[in-house]
């Protein structure tokens, strides 16, 4: 059933887990999951790649912010904007634009200043990396002309994404709608707003802190579905999973935020089929 592929489907998205897809494939290679659901979809890259490579039969992702509702328009807008800038003499560079060029660029995109998802999509080519993780990107942050300008990868990603069922729900409603107790055929992907992070890139109206993360993991303990769990600080994440008595393996990599700043990117694979999770009286 599996089809090997050397090239991953990817698109520009702050916080995308595309660099963990091969790791997830390796973790589940001996499993026979028929379905994957991404509860906090983000770029939806995990479900999209697993579905494209026929590792699962069905894929469902929660596009909570409606990021992909107008994705075709975003690609067309980017292509036209790039053509305009090249005609105006803009040259791709890692250096910030001059004041005049910066104002020229910002004047061109003033019309989309209220379209946060489109600004987020364009940010990789025009916005300084420390600002790209923020949900408050505005036209005045656009001060570069850099990185890959083509929409080729985005088009390939979006074509394949049409094979993934997208919904837009609060995570609790999404889990309730698409999961069932002790489902051995389904792998759940959890990439919630991280503990120990500012969470500026999320559109959530309330902070997704320790109490919400505990509620999420309590739901998973009761549900007894195998799941992948992402978070940030390894020690805190391991302690939290151990508190619930989960059976898990994990790996942490360093993710660059800027040239001099890195963060921990923690991934745990939690399973229920080999043995039951241990009982912790504090959580029962």
């Amino acid at each position: 059933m599996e089809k090997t592929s050397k090239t991953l489907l990817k698109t520009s998205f702050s916080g995308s887990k595309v660099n963990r897809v091969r790791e997830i494939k390796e973790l589940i290679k001996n499993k026979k999951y028929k379905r994957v659901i991404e509860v906090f979809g983000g770029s939806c890259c995990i479900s999209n790649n697993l579905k494209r490579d026929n590792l699962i039969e069905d894929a469902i992702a929660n596009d909570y912010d409606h990021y992909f509702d107008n994705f075709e328009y975003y690609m067309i807008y980017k292509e036209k904007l790039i053509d305009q800038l090249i005609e105006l003499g803009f040259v791709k560079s890692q250096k910030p634009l001059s004041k005049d060029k910066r104002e020229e660029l910002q004047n061109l995109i003033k019309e989309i200043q209220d379209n946060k998802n489109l600004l987020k999509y364009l940010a990789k080519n025009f916005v300084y990396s420390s600002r790209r993780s923020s949900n408050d990107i505005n036209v005045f942050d656009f001060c570069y002309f850099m990185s890959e300008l083509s929409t080729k990868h985005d088009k390939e990603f979006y074509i394949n994404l049409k094979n993934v069922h997208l919904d837009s729900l609060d995570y609790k409603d999404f889990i309730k709608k698409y999961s069932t107790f002790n489902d051995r055929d389904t792998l759940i992907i959890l990439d919630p707003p991280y503990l120990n992070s500012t969470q500026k890139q999320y559109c959530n109206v309330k902070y997704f802190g320790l109490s919400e993360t505990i509620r999420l993991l309590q739901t998973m303990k009761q549900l007894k579905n195998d799941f992948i769990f992402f978070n940030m600080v390894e020690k805190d994440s391991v302690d939290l999973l151990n508190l619930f008595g989960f059976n898990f393996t994990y790996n942490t990599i360093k993710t660059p935020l800027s040239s001099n700043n890195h963060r921990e990117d923690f991934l745990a694979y939690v399973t229920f089929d080999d043995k039951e999770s241990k009982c912790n009286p504090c959580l029962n």
Side-chain angles (χ1 to χ4, degrees):
M1 181 179 176
E2 179 180 352
K3 178 181 69 177
T4 58
S5 176
K6 294 182 179 180
T7 304
L8 291 173
L9 297 170
K10 57 185 178 180
T11 188
S12 302
F13 192 93
S14 178
S16 171
K17 290 299 182 293
V18 68
N19 63 331
R20 309 303 296 266
V21 168
R22 289 193 174 95
E23 184 178 354
I24 292 172
K25 287 182 179 181
E26 184 65 21
L27 284 169
I28 67 172
K29 67 180 182 180
N30 295 322
K31 299 288 186 175
K32 300 296 181 184
Y33 297 118
K34 296 180 180 178
R35 188 176 68 142
V36 64
I37 64 173
E38 280 194 86
V39 178
F40 303 87
S43 69
C44 307
C45 68
I46 297 173
S47 51
N48 201 7
N49 277 283
L50 295 184
K51 174 62 177 171
R52 188 278 306 269
D53 290 346
N54 291 321
L55 289 170
I56 41 90
E57 296 174 9
D58 296 302
I60 306 166
N62 191 11
D63 182 22
Y64 180 74
D65 296 328
H66 296 276
Y67 184 74
F68 290 104
D69 282 3
N70 298 299
F71 201 70
E72 288 181 281
Y73 165 68
Y74 298 166
M75 290 186 288
I76 293 170
Y77 185 94
K78 178 181 177 179
E79 290 169 349
K80 289 181 178 178
L81 177 62
I82 297 299
D83 288 343
Q84 279 183 290
L85 294 174
I86 291 174
E87 288 179 8
L88 291 169
F90 281 67
V91 177
K92 187 173 73 169
S93 171
Q94 295 297 322
K95 296 180 179 180
L97 296 168
S98 67
K99 183 183 179 198
D100 290 345
K101 287 294 185 184
R102 189 180 304 182
E103 290 178 353
E104 199 170 2
L105 166 62
Q106 292 171 359
N107 285 330
L108 281 175
I109 62 172
K110 278 184 178 179
E111 63 180 11
I112 63 164
Q113 60 187 347
D114 295 324
N115 191 332
K116 297 300 183 183
N117 279 340
L118 178 50
L119 291 176
K120 183 177 182 180
Y121 172 68
L122 296 172
K124 183 179 179 182
N125 296 104
F126 300 101
V127 178
Y128 188 58
S129 59
S130 64
R131 287 291 300 155
R132 291 203 296 267
S133 62
S134 172
N135 190 53
D136 298 321
I137 295 173
N138 60 64
V139 296
F140 300 107
D141 295 317
F142 281 55
C143 58
Y144 283 83
F145 186 48
M146 59 182 179
S147 303
E148 177 58 53
L149 302 179
S150 171
T151 59
K152 176 183 176 182
H153 293 307
D154 296 328
K155 288 177 178 176
E156 182 184 8
F157 186 94
Y158 187 64
I159 287 171
N160 284 275
L161 189 64
K162 293 179 180 181
N163 295 317
V164 177
H165 175 72
L166 299 182
D167 206 340
S168 180
L169 297 169
D170 177 84
Y171 85 88
K172 295 182 288 294
D173 295 328
F174 188 85
I175 291 174
K176 183 177 180 180
K177 182 176 180 178
Y178 292 108
S179 61
T180 57
F181 173 74
N182 198 30
D183 181 358
R184 303 268 56 84
D185 292 328
T186 296
L187 176 68
I188 297 178
I189 308 293
L190 300 177
D191 185 18
Y194 287 177
L195 291 169
N196 313 107
S197 69
T198 59
Q199 302 186 12
K200 291 180 180 178
Q201 68 267 44
Y202 301 103
C203 292
N204 51 314
V205 294
K206 72 173 184 175
Y207 183 73
F208 199 104
L210 178 60
S211 60
E212 199 66 32
T213 304
I214 287 174
R215 277 191 284 269
L216 171 64
L217 292 175
Q218 181 65 48
T219 298
M220 298 310 299
K221 182 180 180 182
Q222 294 168 348
L223 193 59
K224 295 188 182 300
N225 279 205
D226 293 357
F227 65 94
I228 299 286
F229 176 67
F230 290 100
N231 223 285
M232 190 162 71
V233 178
E234 177 183 298
K235 186 179 185 304
D236 290 345
S237 303
V238 168
D239 284 350
L240 191 55
L241 292 172
N242 280 332
L243 184 64
F244 279 89
F246 286 128
N247 175 42
F248 65 96
T249 58
Y250 69 91
N251 184 38
T252 304
I253 64 174
K254 298 288 187 180
T255 300
L257 296 176
S258 64
S259 57
N260 298 315
N261 189 14
H262 293 74
R263 76 173 183 194
E264 292 182 334
D265 189 35
F266 173 87
L267 179 159
Y269 177 39
V270 182
T271 58
F272 290 88
D273 54 347
D274 294 327
K275 62 180 180 179
E276 287 295 321
S277 59
K278 299 179 287 294
C279 177
N280 188 316
C282 296
L283 297 170
N284 289 277

